[in-house]
Amino acid sequence: MKVTVVGAGAVGASCAEYIAIKDFASEVVLIDIKEGFAEGKAMDLMQTASLNSFDTKITGTTNDYSKTADSDVAVITSGIPRKPGMTREELISTNAGIVKSVAENLIKHSPNVIIIVVSNPMDTMTYLAHKATGLPKNRIIGMGGALDSARFKYRLAEALGCPQSDVDGMVIGGHSDTGMIPLTRLATRNSVPVTEFLSDDQLTYVREETKVGGATLTKLLGTSAWYAPGAAVSAMVQAIACDTKKMFPCSCLLEGEYGLSDISIGVPAIIGANGIEKIVEIELDDAEKAKLTESADAVKKTNGLL
Ligand SMILES: NC(=O)c1ccc[n+]([C@@H]2O[C@H](COP(=O)([O-])OP(=O)(O)OC[C@H]3O[C@@H](n4cnc5c(N)ncnc54)[C@H](O)[C@@H]3O)[C@@H](O)[C@H]2O)c1
């Protein structure tokens, strides 16, 4: 299993580190346009191998795509992150050109690659990667829901006063402060609905804090977060590498599912060796359906800026 990570910045390097530590890939190639940057990050990470007990080989390159040849999975994190007060949508003018050229370069050297898009605005960048490459819909996946769901579980566990391992929950919809739909109705603590433990006010608090989870961190850090995003991507790469068939909410190109078409947006999907093995259509209540429609309208509006 060869994995390319485009962009050796905060998220790219964190993702490479988690992939290496989990030790399921033979090789991770970091690639960046900043001269020497990916090589430096790769060398630094390789010097943790004896300490962290992994055998994954991590190499770096400055924009030489021949080094990424025959990758099984590629992660696109290249582009600019948001600064405090910015929305993800404001990154579109810079990131669209980067994501398009990166996706085209990747498939030139790795015709069978499965691409995970991370760069923001992620749903629109995933849609753009589909349009730019024409790859089958199972081979381009946007990472947003895995991270948003992890943030949801963090907030649920906090409200419940329990370990996160006791909690299950999922966020669907667009990966934006207003588009995310944390499904509190379906969230559980050890199979008991969280609605049995938390008041409406507490559930509203959990939902709202989840939706602004990225913005909260951006304000604290001065730039967007990287540990949880890196961990979320690495979990998806692992599901592909190990063909686990794990279910993640992720940005999938829809062709009628959930009544939506010609859009990439967060819905539950089974992830395995073929990338998106299956989009899972769960029964939403009327309020959730209305929120998904509203979220999709906002994503389509951003797609219109391409
Ligand atoms: N989808 C998500 O859940 C999620 C979560 C966090 C961050 N993000 C997004 O991921 C992206 C990266 O965030 P970051 O914090 O790692 O930013 P960063 O600035 O730390 O890293 C980005 C890297 O991309 C490189 N780069 C720029 N253009 C390139 C190109 N054409 N080819 C190769 N490399 C190129 C830069 O040199 C830089 O090293 C941002 O768009 C951010 O908004 C998405």
Side-chain angles (χ1 to χ4, degrees):
M1 171 63 52
K2 177 172 174 176
V3 183
T4 286
V5 178
V6 188
V11 176
S14 160
C15 166
E17 181 177 12
Y18 285 120
I19 291 171
I21 285 175
K22 292 178 185 176
D23 217 8
F24 59 80
S26 52
E27 188 179 355
V28 176
V29 180
L30 276 169
I31 179 165
D32 202 289
I33 42 159
K34 218 188 287 176
E35 188 69 41
F37 193 58
E39 290 88 331
K41 287 280 181 106
M43 194 186 290
D44 193 9
L45 284 170
M46 274 308 275
Q47 290 170 0
T48 69
S50 64
L51 299 162
N52 285 334
S53 308
F54 63 78
D55 296 325
T56 306
K57 185 178 159 201
I58 309 167
T59 57
T61 170
T62 305
N63 235 18
D64 179 357
Y65 278 84
S66 68
K67 302 266 174 61
T68 70
D70 299 323
S71 291
D72 301 287
V73 182
V75 178
I76 303 181
T77 74
S78 45
I80 52 166
R82 58 182 171 157
K83 296 284 171 221
M86 284 174 87
T87 66
R88 294 174 178 90
E89 289 69 25
E90 286 173 72
L91 307 174
I92 190 169
S93 56
T94 307
N95 288 356
I98 295 173
V99 169
K100 183 171 184 291
S101 71
V102 164
E104 286 166 353
N105 276 325
L106 283 170
I107 58 163
K108 244 182 251 168
H109 294 85
S110 303
N112 300 316
V113 73
I114 293 171
I115 295 177
I116 300 179
V117 180
V118 180
S119 309
N120 275 316
M122 182 279 297
D123 296 294
T124 295
M125 293 302 104
T126 305
Y127 179 77
L128 172 65
H130 276 290
K131 295 285 162 200
T133 63
L135 286 185
K137 61 183 256 181
N138 60 304
R139 285 176 47 203
I140 299 189
I141 319 167
M143 191 294 288
L147 170 65
D148 302 333
S149 300
R151 288 177 172 159
F152 183 37
K153 286 180 244 188
Y154 164 80
R155 288 297 179 191
L156 280 169
E158 180 188 56
L160 289 160
C162 73
Q164 290 188 46
S165 57
D166 240 15
V167 172
D168 201 6
M170 182 164 63
V171 176
I172 62 167
H175 179 62
S176 70
D177 295 1
T178 49
M180 282 178 219
I181 307 162
L183 294 172
T184 38
R185 183 180 61 89
L186 300 176
T188 60
R189 176 180 183 180
N190 204 354
S191 75
V192 181
V194 296
T195 47
E196 300 260 336
F197 303 109
L198 299 175
S199 66
D200 284 349
D201 282 352
Q202 286 175 305
L203 291 169
T204 301
Y205 175 81
V206 165
R207 275 194 301 271
E208 292 311 311
E209 287 302 315
T210 300
K211 286 159 67 177
V212 296
T216 302
L217 285 162
T218 302
K219 200 169 160 201
L220 289 169
L221 297 166
T223 187
S224 71
W226 55 90
Y227 293 118
V233 185
S234 75
M236 289 173 67
V237 175
Q238 186 173 21
I240 297 166
C242 305
D243 193 22
T244 59
K245 313 271 196 289
K246 195 171 158 65
M247 185 163 87
F248 292 93
C250 45
S251 196
C252 304
L253 186 71
L254 301 183
E255 291 169 328
E257 300 91 345
Y258 290 93
L260 299 169
S261 294
D262 196 33
I263 186 172
S264 291
I265 193 166
V267 293
I270 307 296
I271 305 298
N274 298 306
I276 299 168
E277 304 274 346
K278 184 179 173 9
I279 291 170
V280 181
E281 286 198 76
I282 56 171
E283 196 61 47
L284 299 176
D285 67 20
D286 288 345
E288 292 157 354
K289 273 184 205 159
K291 280 187 194 147
L292 185 58
T293 305
E294 199 183 311
S295 184
D297 287 346
V299 171
K300 284 204 167 179
K301 204 168 153 201
T302 309
N303 292 351
L305 302 174
L306 287 172

